[in-house]
């Protein structure tokens, strides 16, 4: 494979890409320890923020990382034919208190896709479901076109 073209994405292309997708990989880091998980997210093109609903159990590594105010990266990517596209959002996660979700606050999200919610068949008293917001300090995207025949 040979790279035919590589380009940085514009802000509007990044926004359209993130709004079109619903899943990515969330990587958290604290000290020298990394942690990465697949997640679903919602994206607001106006505020350029990602919204996540994260479920954890009492003794999970995820809960341990989330409780430590970790650095965060959300990576969303796709491969279509010979074109590889990826967007990386870098920042810190902010826990959203459900009590702060007023009708006015919800309305500002407009048509943004919401994080996916599951309905649990049984009571799951050990599950902790929390909402988070990622307002990236840095948001970058790249598109690479390769020639598969070379």
């Amino acid at each position: 494979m040979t790279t035919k073209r590589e380009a940085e994405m514009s802000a509007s292309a990044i926004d359209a890409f993130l709004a079109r997708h619903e899943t990515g990989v969330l990587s958290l880091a604290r000290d020298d320890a990394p942690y990465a998980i697949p997640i679903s997210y919602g994206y607001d093109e106006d505020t350029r923020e990602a919204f996540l609903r994260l479920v954890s159990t009492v003794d999970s590594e995820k809960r341990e990382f989330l409780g430590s105010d970790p650095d965060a990266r959300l990576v969303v990517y796709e491969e279509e034919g010979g074109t590889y596209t990826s967007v990386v959002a870098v920042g810190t996660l902010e826990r959203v208190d459900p009590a702060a979700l007023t009708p006015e606050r919800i309305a500002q999200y407009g048509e943004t896709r919401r994080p996916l919610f599951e309905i649990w068949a049984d009571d799951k008293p050990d599950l902790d479901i929390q909402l988070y917001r990622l307002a990236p300090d840095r948001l970058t995207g790249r598109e690479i076109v390769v020639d598969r025949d070379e």
Side-chain angles (χ1 to χ4, degrees):
M1 273 193 307
T2 304
T3 300
K4 289 173 63 175
R5 182 177 57 86
E6 182 173 343
E8 296 296 318
M9 295 170 67
S10 67
S12 61
I14 288 171
D15 291 338
F17 183 83
L18 289 175
R20 190 173 77 242
H21 289 80
E22 296 180 333
T23 61
V25 175
L26 178 66
S27 298
L28 306 174
R30 60 160 205 256
D31 303 323
D32 291 331
Y35 179 74
I37 51 172
I39 53 96
S40 64
Y41 70 91
Y43 184 72
D44 186 315
E45 292 179 72
D46 293 331
T47 63
R48 303 193 87 196
E49 297 173 328
F51 299 88
L52 306 97
R53 189 232 0 118
L54 302 175
V55 180
S56 60
T57 59
V58 174
D59 57 349
S60 73
E61 190 174 18
K62 185 191 306 180
R63 185 179 289 186
E64 186 179 320
F65 267 84
L66 290 170
S68 68
D69 295 322
D71 293 329
R73 287 180 190 247
L74 174 61
V75 179
V76 179
Y77 61 94
E78 73 178 5
E79 182 263 325
E80 187 173 310
T83 302
Y84 297 83
T85 308
S86 63
V87 170
V88 178
V90 179
T92 53
L93 288 177
E94 175 188 326
R95 188 172 181 279
V96 176
D97 183 351
L101 294 176
T102 63
E104 295 79 23
R105 177 146 176 148
I106 292 169
Q108 80 182 14
Y109 302 138
E111 296 301 315
T112 299
R113 289 185 173 148
R114 303 301 194 269
L116 303 176
F117 287 86
E118 294 100 3
I119 297 175
W120 301 94
D122 299 318
D123 261 355
K124 303 287 185 183
D126 293 336
L127 290 180
D128 184 26
I129 301 172
Q130 294 183 353
L131 301 175
Y132 290 87
R133 177 179 75 95
L134 175 61
D137 300 322
R138 190 170 73 237
L139 194 53
T140 59
R142 182 178 301 172
E143 185 176 86
I144 300 171
V145 178
V146 297
D147 187 348
R148 293 175 181 255
D149 296 330
E150 288 187 23

